[in-house]
Amino acid sequence: MTSMLVGIRKGSLEAQWRLNPIRLATDKSSFPVATKDLANLVGMQVGSPFLPNLSSPPKQIEHLKRQLVDGGFEVVG
């Protein structure tokens, strides 16, 4: 049981290190906007944010794309 927990912790830590740059990249957009932008970028087609919110500016979208690719995700949008 202990060896299994060590493996789970190790995998969890690896995932945190891989995903953290993506999470930090969302700080440049508001919470609901960044979440929708990321979902759209990976092909989930969740649409645009509700007004008065707008999608992130193009420079931020490129930053989010770069972080997704660096994190091992396929960007389709």
Side-chain angles (χ1 to χ4, degrees):
M1 180 70 152
T2 303
S3 61
M4 184 180 96
L5 290 177
V6 169
I8 291 170
R9 283 189 206 153
K10 183 179 182 225
S12 175
L13 184 58
E14 290 170 1
Q16 288 179 47
W17 282 111
R18 186 171 65 104
L19 296 172
N20 194 47
I22 298 168
R23 183 189 64 78
L24 292 175
T26 66
D27 289 347
K28 295 180 180 178
S29 300
S30 65
F31 167 70
V33 169
T35 304
K36 279 202 161 199
D37 288 341
L38 288 169
N40 285 322
L41 288 171
V42 296
M44 295 180 76
Q45 300 178 0
V46 296
S48 299
F50 289 109
L51 293 174
N53 295 312
L54 301 171
S55 291
S56 298
K59 185 176 178 181
Q60 170 62 356
I61 294 290
E62 288 304 314
H63 181 65
L64 291 170
K65 283 182 184 179
R66 202 167 39 255
Q67 294 306 315
L68 285 168
V69 170
D70 290 350
F73 292 90
E74 182 179 351
V75 174
V76 296

